[in-house]
Amino acid sequence: MAVFDTPEEAFGALRPVCVQLTKTQTVENVEHLQAQLQAVSDSALQELQQYILFPLRFTLKTPGPKRERLIQSVVECLTFVLSSTCVKEQVLLQELFSEISACLYSPKSQKPAAVSEELKLAVIQGLSTLMHSAYGDILLAFYEPSILPRLGFAVSLLLDLAEQEKSKQIKIAALKCLQVLLFQCDCQDHPRSLDELEQKQLGDLFASFLPGISMALARVITGDFKQGHGIIVSSLKTFYKTVSFIMADEQLERISKVQPKPAVEHRVAELMVHREAKWVKNTSDKLTILIKKIIECVSGHPHWKVRLALIELVEALLLKCSQSLVGSAGPLLKALVGLVNDESPEVQAQCSKVLRHFADQKVVVGNRAFADILSENLHSLATSLPRLMSSQDDQGKFSTLSLLLGYLKLLGPRVNFVLNSVTHLQRLSKALIQVLELDVTDIKVVEERCWNSGPLGASETAATQPRSPMQRRYFRFFTDERLFLLLQQVCQLLGFYGDVYLLIDHFMELYRESVVYRKQAAMILNELVAGAAGLEVENLHENHIKTSTEELREIVTSILEEYTSQENWYLTTCIESEEVGEELTMKQSGLQAITSGAHTCQVTSFPAFSKPSPTICSMNSNIWQICIQLEGIGRFAYALGKDFRLLLMTALYPVLEKAGDQTLLISQAATSAMMDICHTCGYYSLQHLINQNSDYLVNGISLNLRHLSLHPHTPKVLEVMLWNSDASLLPLVADVVQDVLATLDQFYDKRAASFVGVLHALLAALAQWFPDTDDLRQLQGESAGEAGSHLSQRPAASEKGLENTTTAEDMELFLLNYLKEKDVADGNVSDFDNEEEEQSDPPKVDESDTGPDVEPPLPVQIQIATDVMERCIHMLSDKNLKIRLKVLDVLNLCVVVLQSHKNQLLPLAHRAWPPLVHRLTNDDPLVVLRAFKVLRTLGGKCGDFLRSRFCKDILPKLAGSLVTQAPVSARAGPVYSHTLAFKLQLAVLQGLGPLCERLDLGDSDLNKVADACLIYLSAKQPMKLQEAARS
Amino acid sequence: MEKMTAPPPNMAASPLPPPDPCFVLRGAQSAVHALHFFGGAQGQVHPLLLSGSLSGLVHIWSLQTRRAVATLDGHGGQCVTWLQTLPQGRQLLSQGRDLKLCLWDLAEGRNTVVDSVPLESMGFCRSSILAGGQERWMLAMPGRGNDEVQILEMPSKTSVCTLKPEADAKPGMPMCLELWQADSSPRPLLLAGYEDGSVALWDVSERKVCSRVACHTEPVMGFDFDSQKARGVSGSAEKALAVWSLDEQQALQVCRTHELTNPGIADVKIRPDRKILATAGWDHRVRVFHWRTMKPLAVLSFHSATIHCVAFATDGLLAAGSGDQRISIWSLYPISTDSSTPLLGHTEGGEVGAHASA
């Protein structure tokens, strides 16, 4: 089809069609015209606008019933023309406006005519296009008072459509059109922005419609949820645009007291509204009701776009109508604040943006009225918070707390007005404490143990992680994890904006007041400090001054002092077996250890914990308290950063103490607290942390050792420290070991178990720090496993098969040696009671450094090992089975460390021999097993020295027991391989071979060994024993 | 002193534990023979503690971090016996048994020897200085002769005089010195404790002994003098403390002696507020007394070897250095800003938990 660029051409083409239409008004003709119009250029169309419009308007104006279809197509055609042209005459605009809107006029009722949806849509679009096509000046002139009735008709028409129609499309179109009519269209090609005077004129005009518009829109908004979010969103938009235009503070300021004489006829003038103060007040009251309704309905709307629109509404109204709508400010702010923690990130972001914008503009802080309203809201929220927290479900709590959080964010430093009121602070804290109550019924918390006493679990790489995750807690009053996060944020904000001293004091008081509050108060304190340091808090208030580091350090120091004080740090978390050491040997059952007698001493030493016997719940609670406090220390470290280093001298010791705790949860919490410290204080790893601060630790250890009854866990700390440090620590360790040994001598009977643990750690550390070349292998082999290690280590020996390879010379040599040494050994070893003599020996510790002229001083580690071995000899015959076992381990390590210093080792070995023999021959099988291990080590390190003693004291019994056990094991079933007796047989059979070799035994003894072993080669014996016997 | 040897039974049952050190400084790595607090100057909140060790090193400890911040090595491995800072500038004097007095410059993190004075006595005698705010100051140190004390004007190192006792006195070697100046007169005075157990007051300008009194039968190991009360206290190798006073005629007289449980006091120091005094005992213990009444207040046991020296900081902190290579820091009877508070008022209740044991 040709395009008609010039009006002449176009006229030629259009004329017949227009004439045709004027004559016979049919749909076909209209469509024909529209088809022709497609081919006309915009400029040509503009020229011919009046001409083309004429038949169309004529069609509309022709009296008599018309078919809807025709009207629709006419309106569509009109719309098309208008969309490509401009309306340049005011009269035309007015007429068109009336004509188009009249299409939906039904004389019978107020409602729009019952016409087809297509027609309605066409009319709406037509109106919209008309308003857009009008020239700016003309359009402004259009909005004069005299148009009021016609405009009013259109507005109510559109409102009706928006409210009553079923079709979404129509509703939305109607709402859009309404915006256009009210000059609030947000499309691009709309006329320039209005100056103040124009705004005021329009406002005056539109004010008449405000009640109708606002009420109708409110009805739409609060209507059915199912009507779709699009409608609500655009209703909300229309609502706030209209309201914020008409009620804008800027305009209202200019309204004169006296209504100017309207230059219009009386009938219209009645419709006009004068927006003076009284009107504003009335309207605002009514609007407040509507706004409240809207907010109530919309703030919980499931669709995020609706909530987003609500934020826009709040923003617009608060920014533009803060004075006129002051009564609504409360609900509006509440709505905004409630959305701060919305699920949808978009809403959240927008909300924060708006809040930030408000803060920047000082909308709230700069405006007394607003701040008062907010404080008021916060006041009332604080008042009702305890009730809400106890009555609401998780979702309810969530929104309540979100609201609280939002208020805090918005109020910023003004929070203090509320906090300074004692009752409100109490209310607030009561609610927080109440909701944070932990569930302490879980028995697993108490049960879970960590038994490993090795280096702390966390690896070095963990130190690079920014923040260790928190332990999962279970609260009594909620299960939703998000609630806890919210509560954290609330506390942090309080700490950030509030008066830290006031808050800390208050919660410290609660902390001290009752066990019931203690855990919650500690949690809150932790967050307060984190908040005060500005961690994880986004500051909306630029001029807010943060708490200074110096102040913060003071605060943290005082909290730390409280946390780690005797009554808050040393709580009963488990039924300690150590206290009942003596009973335990008899009963050996962990459960029976729960006797009331065992705890009397504990209760007296922890007066704060007044219950006579700790229940599972109270222990669980104690565990949590310690964990929270530990976590707090980690948080404090974050809060202070590098400054925390100065507090390490007091904080590290207690944390390390808990790292060695038996309860899994506590030791985990302590480890993660240490990780936090590492991270903030710039240590690469826990080892680094402990190494660098070992002087502080040693200080604590040595001072606490002086009061062991008050600090029973001190040895544990040393143990943990030893496991996690390196040889550079030796001078310090040497220093403190003297204290340890002195204390051990003092409390030898009561607390031997914990000290043996330390000694074990110490010797293990020494053995590791100062390895002998061939010794390393040995140590690894031993720690790798009890059994079988020698099989793998000595493949050569096992390949040789039976040990019958001894030569005659060997035998002879042995016999000679044997005879020679027999007498000596007799004299030396017969007396088992000489332990008592040795106990009265003064320890050699002090003398060793006084005689420098005797020998070059021994290396420190050797000195330590000697001292320790000395103690071990005494403790070998301890009544407690566990201690005996542990002591044997320590002894083993002593021998390893001392192996290269025979001058020290041999005399000690000599003294250790009698009790060791006793262990090997007359003790619990477990002990025998362990003692045999020591024997093997000892045999390996000082072979010759032991030979005759071994043959005389031990070999007969060992061989004898092997022989007597042989029939038992031969007959036994498969279960036998799990018995202790079997393990013992196995160990002896495995160990005997290498031992004999190292000791270089004589043939007669070897024969004894061989005899005993031979039985085990019988096919009836269990396989493993056979294999072992072959070696 | 009978009371001290046998602790009353109610004392042992007292709920208050015996006092512990606030903290312990480790790392001197040899016996500690000299201590000196140095602090507050130049806006430093936390004072420093200087310690001199048997191995000739001077450690500078920060009392804030409780760690050595620097080590000065200037005495060739010989024991450092005396440390003193000068009031002006950050300068330190250290006396070592390598027969040298070193003057260190510690300002701005420097630690260099700027000057040294040769010593001519191998004795154990610690020197003393008299320094006001001026540029010039006076140094008293053991002289060349066995029983001489030499006075130098510093920093020029010009000898002012040598104080030699009269021929018939035979007091033996000087063991400890203290230069001071009475408020009333500008004449410098010197107190010296001698090997024979006597304490003598010298008028430095007239080079004569004003007064001399026999306080002990054994050598005087250490003394301290309270110039306001004109009273001093001295300890010796024997089992007693002697309190002596100086009257207007500048005559010394022994006021009283105080029996101890164990012999041997290596050092005596009166706290700057003149309320209490502390002694360094060969019995590994620090004893604390009320200065006015000489009532025993506490026996501080922590060390496992002879205590060689004690020192007080201006804020009342007490440090004790021992042969076990540790320095213990104690905070006792904090100095109250209200000086009228009677000290004994709360010691009666056993606030420190005075524990006395043999």
Side-chain angles (χ1 to χ4, degrees):
Chain A
M1 194 188 278
V3 176
F4 308 107
D5 279 325
T6 60
E8 290 74 25
E9 286 169 358
F11 182 75
L14 290 174
R15 209 178 86 97
V17 192
C18 286
V19 171
Q20 178 72 17
L21 180 60
T22 322
K23 281 182 183 158
T24 43
Q25 291 139 7
T26 59
V27 177
E28 290 75 31
N29 284 340
V30 179
E31 279 172 353
H32 195 192
L33 173 62
Q34 189 160 3
Q36 288 289 323
L37 288 176
Q38 303 279 359
V40 180
S41 72
D42 284 358
S43 54
L45 205 54
Q46 181 67 48
E47 292 285 312
L48 296 172
Q49 187 197 41
Q50 294 271 21
Y51 182 78
I52 301 161
L53 285 178
F54 173 77
L56 294 169
R57 292 174 60 193
F58 181 74
T59 313
L60 287 180
K61 275 194 275 193
T62 330
K66 283 165 284 218
R67 285 179 300 123
E68 279 180 23
R69 185 75 189 81
L70 176 65
I71 302 175
Q72 185 196 333
S73 56
V74 169
V75 174
E76 280 170 359
C77 193
L78 262 178
T79 309
F80 177 79
V81 175
L82 291 173
S83 68
S84 328
T85 58
C86 291
V87 177
K88 290 178 176 168
E89 285 169 47
Q90 195 185 346
V91 183
L92 180 65
L93 178 63
Q94 283 183 9
E95 283 174 8
L96 277 173
F97 183 81
S98 327
E99 284 160 14
I100 296 178
S101 45
C103 291
L104 292 181
Y105 174 71
S106 92
K108 284 159 236 146
S109 68
Q110 294 289 79
K111 300 235 167 78
V115 289
S116 73
E117 294 190 341
E118 286 80 11
L119 177 57
K120 289 175 187 164
L121 199 61
V123 170
I124 294 168
Q125 242 131 39
L127 274 179
S128 176
T129 317
L130 174 67
M131 297 318 282
H132 276 113
S133 70
Y135 251 39
D137 295 341
I138 294 179
L139 193 60
L140 277 178
F142 171 78
Y143 286 106
E144 59 182 12
S146 60
I147 199 74
L148 209 55
R150 275 182 265 182
L151 191 60
F153 171 71
V155 167
S156 65
L157 188 74
L158 289 169
L159 283 173
D160 274 340
L161 287 174
E163 198 177 344
Q164 309 289 343
E165 263 327 295
K166 291 219 170 51
S167 155
K168 263 189 203 179
Q169 213 187 347
I170 295 181
K171 285 178 156 206
I172 291 179
L175 288 166
K176 282 253 169 68
C177 187
L178 195 59
Q179 282 184 36
V180 176
L181 278 189
L182 296 175
F183 242 88
Q184 301 298 333
C185 181
D186 37 39
C187 63
Q188 297 293 321
D189 48 33
H190 221 269
R192 69 204 150 78
S193 57
L194 305 164
D195 64 29
E196 284 163 2
L197 190 68
E198 291 163 342
Q199 279 192 3
K200 184 179 160 292
Q201 280 174 355
L202 286 175
D204 281 340
L205 200 63
F206 295 151
S208 314
F209 309 137
L210 185 62
I213 295 174
S214 57
M215 273 162 67
L217 287 177
R219 278 197 298 275
V220 174
I221 294 165
T222 56
D224 193 359
F225 260 34
K226 280 178 226 144
Q227 64 187 323
H229 70 269
I231 292 159
I232 301 186
V233 169
S234 77
S235 312
L236 279 170
K237 275 200 174 136
T238 317
F239 182 87
Y240 78 73
K241 285 194 167 164
T242 315
V243 171
S244 66
F245 183 73
I246 298 170
M247 301 294 283
D249 292 334
E250 269 186 26
Q251 289 189 36
L252 295 178
E253 272 170 21
R254 286 168 216 280
I255 302 289
S256 56
K257 288 258 160 49
V258 191
Q259 186 171 17
K261 203 97 188 124
V264 281
E265 50 187 303
H266 185 65
R267 200 171 54 85
V268 177
E270 269 183 350
L271 292 173
M272 286 291 286
V273 164
H274 181 56
R275 292 182 289 171
E276 32 77 48
K278 204 172 154 204
W279 179 86
V280 169
K281 190 166 182 319
N282 277 334
T283 316
S284 126
D285 286 350
K286 282 170 195 149
L287 278 174
T288 302
I289 298 170
L290 290 179
I291 288 171
K292 263 190 194 157
K293 258 193 202 159
I294 290 172
I295 287 170
E296 227 166 79
C297 181
V298 166
S299 58
H301 196 278
H303 201 285
W304 64 269
K305 279 193 178 158
V306 175
R307 298 195 300 269
L308 198 64
L310 181 63
I311 293 177
E312 284 169 24
L313 179 138
V314 172
E315 184 183 14
L317 293 188
L318 283 181
L319 280 179
K320 290 195 184 154
C321 319
S322 57
Q323 278 153 34
S324 55
L325 288 179
V326 82
S328 313
L332 285 171
L333 283 173
K334 188 173 160 182
L336 182 63
V337 158
L339 291 172
V340 163
N341 276 301
D342 200 85
E343 300 155 350
S344 145
E346 285 93 343
V347 176
Q348 237 182 56
Q350 179 65 24
C351 198
S352 320
K353 208 178 105 192
V354 171
L355 282 177
R356 187 173 286 279
H357 181 63
F358 279 9
D360 288 347
Q361 303 281 306
K362 310 235 187 313
V363 170
V364 174
V365 183
N367 183 332
R368 268 210 62 75
F370 268 24
D372 287 350
I373 288 161
L374 274 178
S375 308
E376 196 88 350
N377 281 359
L378 186 54
H379 264 109
S380 62
L381 185 61
T383 315
S384 55
L385 202 56
R387 182 176 51 79
L388 291 174
M389 285 298 110
S390 57
S391 59
Q392 283 178 321
D393 61 354
D394 274 13
Q395 192 55 45
K397 281 183 191 136
F398 185 78
S399 49
T400 311
L401 288 172
S402 298
L403 196 60
L404 176 61
L405 185 65
Y407 284 147
L408 294 179
K409 275 193 181 170
L410 212 51
L411 268 176
R414 284 178 163 249
V415 166
N416 281 324
F417 288 127
V418 179
L419 297 182
N420 282 334
S421 146
V422 181
T423 46
H424 285 94
L425 180 57
Q426 267 169 359
R427 287 270 181 172
L428 193 65
S429 61
K430 194 181 158 199
L432 288 175
I433 293 243
Q434 181 191 325
V435 75
L436 277 170
E437 187 173 335
L438 285 168
D439 180 17
V440 292
T441 49
D442 190 4
I443 189 162
K444 249 200 340 220
V445 170
V446 184
E447 270 180 342
E448 279 181 322
R449 288 271 176 277
C450 58
W451 290 112
N452 65 322
S453 57
L456 294 171
S459 59
E460 314 212 345
T461 51
T464 56
Q465 284 174 6
R467 186 88 169 76
S468 42
M470 203 182 289
Q471 287 161 326
R472 180 89 169 87
R473 298 199 177 139
Y474 299 92
F475 295 91
R476 255 186 78 187
F477 294 114
F478 63 89
T479 49
D480 195 342
E481 189 74 352
R482 290 179 310 158
L483 273 180
F484 180 57
L485 292 178
L486 263 185
L487 285 163
Q488 276 188 310
Q489 288 180 39
V490 165
C491 296
Q492 284 168 3
L493 275 183
L494 280 176
F496 188 66
Y497 291 123
D499 178 348
V500 186
Y501 284 106
L502 174 80
L503 286 165
I504 298 274
D505 275 358
H506 180 77
F507 283 102
M508 279 301 253
E509 232 159 75
L510 287 173
Y511 177 88
R512 293 192 198 104
E513 194 174 305
S514 155
V515 190
V516 185
Y517 300 151
R518 201 158 291 153
K519 293 185 293 299
Q520 298 94 303
M523 267 190 264
I524 295 167
L525 283 170
N526 295 349
E527 299 307 328
L528 284 177
V529 170
L535 297 179
E536 295 157 39
V537 179
E538 53 160 349
N539 188 1
L540 293 174
H541 305 265
E542 274 168 18
N543 51 353
H544 173 59
I545 304 146
K546 278 207 298 181
T547 322
S548 79
T549 326
E550 202 58 39
E551 287 172 323
L552 203 59
R553 197 167 66 212
E554 255 170 56
I555 290 169
V556 167
T557 313
S558 70
I559 300 180
L560 263 182
E561 215 165 85
E562 190 72 30
Y563 277 3
T564 55
S565 69
Q566 188 77 25
E567 66 267 30
N568 293 322
W569 198 249
Y570 302 101
L571 302 166
T572 322
T573 56
C574 62
I575 293 143
E576 291 190 35
S577 49
E578 204 171 304
E579 245 84 359
V580 289
E582 303 214 338
E583 286 148 86
L584 205 65
T585 39
M586 316 294 179
K587 294 169 185 164
Q588 294 215 353
S589 149
L591 277 176
Q592 275 170 302
I594 314 175
T595 54
S596 54
H599 296 288
T600 45
C601 60
Q602 279 191 352
V603 174
T604 48
S605 58
F606 310 124
F609 197 74
S610 53
K611 288 178 196 164
S613 153
T615 61
I616 297 293
C617 277
S618 70
M619 287 198 288
N620 180 317
S621 155
N622 287 341
I623 289 173
W624 276 120
Q625 193 192 325
I626 293 171
C627 286
I628 291 164
Q629 289 171 177
L630 281 166
E631 183 200 296
I633 294 178
R635 303 227 76 182
F636 298 160
Y638 269 94
L640 287 180
K642 285 245 193 298
D643 270 3
F644 194 76
R645 283 187 176 203
L646 277 177
L647 296 179
L648 280 179
M649 61 182 92
T650 48
L652 188 58
Y653 176 87
V655 175
L656 204 57
E657 190 173 50
K658 292 300 171 194
D661 199 282
Q662 286 187 341
T663 311
L664 181 67
L665 219 53
I666 294 183
S667 101
Q668 278 175 348
T671 313
S672 80
M674 290 212 290
M675 299 307 301
D676 290 347
I677 295 173
C678 279
H679 191 253
T680 54
C681 297
Y683 297 106
Y684 324 120
S685 65
L686 294 186
Q687 272 73 8
H688 190 220
L689 169 72
I690 292 173
N691 259 329
Q692 293 289 305
N693 295 289
S694 49
D695 48 347
Y696 295 155
L697 288 172
V698 162
N699 191 37
I701 292 167
S702 107
L703 290 183
N704 284 340
L705 277 175
R706 288 155 57 85
H707 311 289
L708 198 63
S709 54
L710 283 176
H711 307 278
H713 301 289
T714 311
K716 261 275 154 340
V717 181
L718 184 56
E719 209 178 316
V720 176
M721 192 185 109
L722 284 169
W723 283 120
N724 291 287
S725 46
D726 61 36
S728 61
L729 224 61
L730 192 65
L732 276 174
V733 168
D735 188 294
V736 81
V737 161
Q738 297 311 323
D739 291 332
V740 170
L741 293 177
T743 322
L744 171 63
D745 292 344
Q746 200 182 340
F747 294 98
Y748 166 57
D749 42 348
K750 286 182 209 140
R751 306 203 177 265
S754 53
F755 279 107
V756 176
V758 176
L759 296 182
H760 188 239
L762 172 67
L763 267 295
L766 287 181
Q768 203 187 350
W769 297 344
F770 306 99
D772 263 32
T773 39
D774 64 321
D775 188 49
L776 208 55
R777 183 166 48 93
Q778 174 99 7
L779 201 72
Q780 284 164 350
E782 254 147 46
S783 57
E786 309 281 346
S789 61
H790 273 252
L791 278 179
S792 57
Q793 270 187 13
R794 315 191 124 261
S798 58
E799 271 164 16
K800 270 190 219 160
L802 305 179
E803 73 263 76
N804 290 356
T805 47
T806 12
T807 59
E809 288 91 336
D810 289 336
M811 216 184 283
E812 197 184 321
L813 190 70
F814 166 72
L815 274 172
L816 287 173
N817 278 340
Y818 176 66
L819 288 172
K820 208 172 10 176
E821 288 175 13
K822 190 185 172 196
D823 300 344
V824 187
D826 266 355
N828 274 339
V829 189
S830 60
D831 186 8
F832 281 169
D833 294 335
N834 61 359
E835 288 164 58
E836 282 171 30
E837 282 172 37
E838 284 163 2
Q839 278 181 13
S840 62
D841 282 354
K844 291 177 177 173
V845 191
D846 294 335
E847 290 137 331
S848 59
D849 52 358
T850 54
D853 49 342
V854 186
E855 269 172 39
L858 292 167
V860 184
Q861 74 270 22
I862 300 302
Q863 188 59 51
I864 293 172
T866 323
D867 293 342
V868 172
M869 192 157 168
E870 188 101 22
R871 290 346 185 260
C872 284
I873 294 167
H874 302 324
M875 290 197 290
L876 263 182
S877 42
D878 196 278
K879 288 197 202 90
N880 189 326
L881 174 74
K882 273 188 184 165
I883 295 185
R884 287 204 301 273
L885 289 173
K886 238 358 210 301
V887 167
L888 284 168
D889 284 342
V890 180
L891 194 62
N892 199 15
L893 287 166
C894 285
V895 175
V896 173
V897 174
L898 286 175
Q899 57 181 316
S900 49
H901 290 75
K902 290 284 191 287
N903 285 346
Q904 276 68 43
L905 177 58
L906 295 186
L908 284 168
H910 162 66
R911 284 170 52 200
W913 185 250
L916 183 63
V917 169
H918 215 64
R919 300 284 81 75
L920 271 168
T921 49
N922 303 316
D923 208 331
D924 191 284
L926 270 174
V927 181
V928 175
L929 200 60
R930 208 69 67 94
F932 189 72
K933 203 176 128 197
V934 178
L935 181 68
R936 263 168 45 188
T937 318
L938 206 53
K941 307 302 173 201
C942 40
D944 297 335
F945 183 72
L946 279 187
R947 188 181 306 126
S948 64
R949 296 161 200 246
F950 174 70
C951 297
K952 178 176 162 295
D953 298 329
I954 294 169
L955 191 56
K957 292 214 173 160
L958 273 184
S961 77
L962 277 180
V963 171
T964 48
Q965 279 291 313
V968 180
S969 58
R971 268 180 275 119
V975 195
Y976 186 69
S977 63
H978 295 287
T979 61
L980 208 53
F982 170 78
K983 282 178 188 156
L984 185 60
Q985 276 175 314
L986 185 66
V988 171
L989 285 171
Q990 281 171 348
L992 216 46
L995 188 63
C996 292
E997 208 174 344
R998 296 302 291 268
L999 290 180
D1000 202 10
L1001 281 195
D1003 277 1
S1004 75
D1005 291 298
L1006 276 180
N1007 277 336
K1008 273 189 219 164
V1009 174
D1011 284 344
C1013 292
L1014 267 176
I1015 322 170
Y1016 284 88
L1017 292 176
S1018 151
K1020 286 177 197 154
Q1021 293 289 346
M1023 271 311 282
K1024 271 194 164 176
L1025 289 185
Q1026 288 187 41
E1027 277 171 21
R1030 279 180 53 207
S1031 67
Chain B
M1 258 335 278
E2 277 312 298
K3 258 194 274 175
M4 271 197 102
T5 52
N10 66 337
M11 208 68 143
S14 155
L16 287 163
D20 272 335
C22 291
F23 52 93
V24 179
L25 302 175
R26 292 175 168 80
Q29 298 193 344
S30 72
V32 180
H33 279 264
L35 284 172
H36 180 70
F37 278 101
F38 168 47
Q42 300 188 351
Q44 270 188 313
V45 186
H46 295 273
L48 300 171
L49 175 65
L50 307 165
S51 77
S53 72
L54 184 64
S55 60
L57 297 181
V58 174
H59 294 269
I60 303 175
W61 305 87
S62 156
L63 294 180
Q64 191 189 22
T65 63
R66 302 176 186 176
R67 285 177 177 157
V69 289
T71 308
L72 314 178
D73 183 4
H75 288 283
Q78 297 292 310
C79 181
V80 175
T81 57
W82 178 68
L83 292 168
Q84 176 70 49
T85 46
L86 297 180
Q88 73 273 32
R90 291 170 67 88
Q91 287 193 313
L92 166 72
L93 262 177
S94 68
Q95 180 183 356
R97 301 214 55 205
D98 60 343
L99 301 183
K100 235 170 46 183
L101 261 166
C102 292
L103 186 63
W104 301 82
D105 179 12
L106 300 183
E108 291 155 8
R110 284 192 294 270
N111 37 30
T112 47
V113 180
V114 287
D115 203 353
S116 72
V117 182
L119 269 172
E120 288 171 279
S121 160
M122 264 302 278
F124 294 88
C125 184
R126 293 169 178 172
S127 307
S128 175
I129 60 163
L130 180 63
Q134 315 96 319
E135 188 69 19
R136 292 186 304 160
W137 43 283
M138 193 178 268
L139 170 72
M141 61 182 202
R144 178 190 318 227
N146 226 359
D147 49 2
E148 287 172 6
V149 176
Q150 196 178 9
I151 309 284
L152 294 181
E153 193 189 89
M154 297 295 281
S156 59
K157 295 196 272 183
T158 48
S159 177
V160 174
C161 59
T162 303
L163 305 178
K164 189 174 168 63
E166 289 147 48
D168 55 337
K170 291 210 175 69
M173 285 191 289
M175 299 299 287
C176 37
L177 305 170
E178 171 135 339
L179 272 172
W180 62 285
Q181 213 166 5
D183 292 338
S184 49
S185 80
R187 300 158 76 92
L189 299 168
L190 174 76
L191 275 166
Y194 285 97
E195 198 179 356
D196 69 346
S198 64
V199 174
L201 178 72
W202 289 83
D203 188 321
V204 175
S205 35
E206 293 185 17
R207 299 173 202 187
K208 71 170 178 66
V209 177
C210 301
S211 161
R212 192 171 146 213
V213 65
C215 299
H216 302 276
T217 53
E218 299 279 336
V220 179
M221 298 304 293
F223 69 78
D224 202 0
F225 184 68
D226 173 0
S227 57
Q228 272 192 8
K229 292 197 177 101
R231 237 156 52 103
V233 58
S234 59
S236 80
E238 64 181 7
K239 278 169 72 167
L241 285 176
V243 180
W244 30 267
S245 68
L246 190 64
D247 61 16
E248 263 94 76
Q249 284 75 45
Q250 302 210 316
L252 285 167
Q253 58 196 75
V254 175
C255 306
R256 59 192 288 189
T257 58
H258 196 96
E259 274 306 299
L260 297 172
T261 350
N262 296 311
I265 294 296
D267 198 6
V268 181
K269 284 276 158 45
I270 302 170
R271 197 163 75 177
D273 68 344
R274 288 182 284 276
K275 297 264 181 190
I276 59 173
L277 69 100
T279 65
W282 291 357
D283 60 352
H284 311 177
R285 292 183 175 89
V286 173
R287 286 184 165 72
V288 179
F289 297 88
H290 189 249
W291 172 221
R292 187 165 49 79
T293 61
M294 285 308 284
K295 181 185 159 76
L297 299 178
V299 177
L300 310 177
S301 60
F302 170 79
H303 289 285
S304 56
T306 307
I307 298 179
H308 293 300
C309 46
V310 286
F312 278 110
T314 37
D315 64 354
L317 226 49
L318 166 67
S322 152
D324 64 4
Q325 312 183 359
R326 310 180 203 181
I327 301 163
S328 54
I329 310 288
W330 310 73
S331 173
L332 309 167
Y333 309 108
I335 294 179
S336 59
T337 43
D338 179 15
S339 56
S340 63
T341 316
L343 179 67
L344 280 179
H346 49 105
T347 56
E348 227 70 87
E351 188 156 291
V352 170
H355 256 240
S357 56

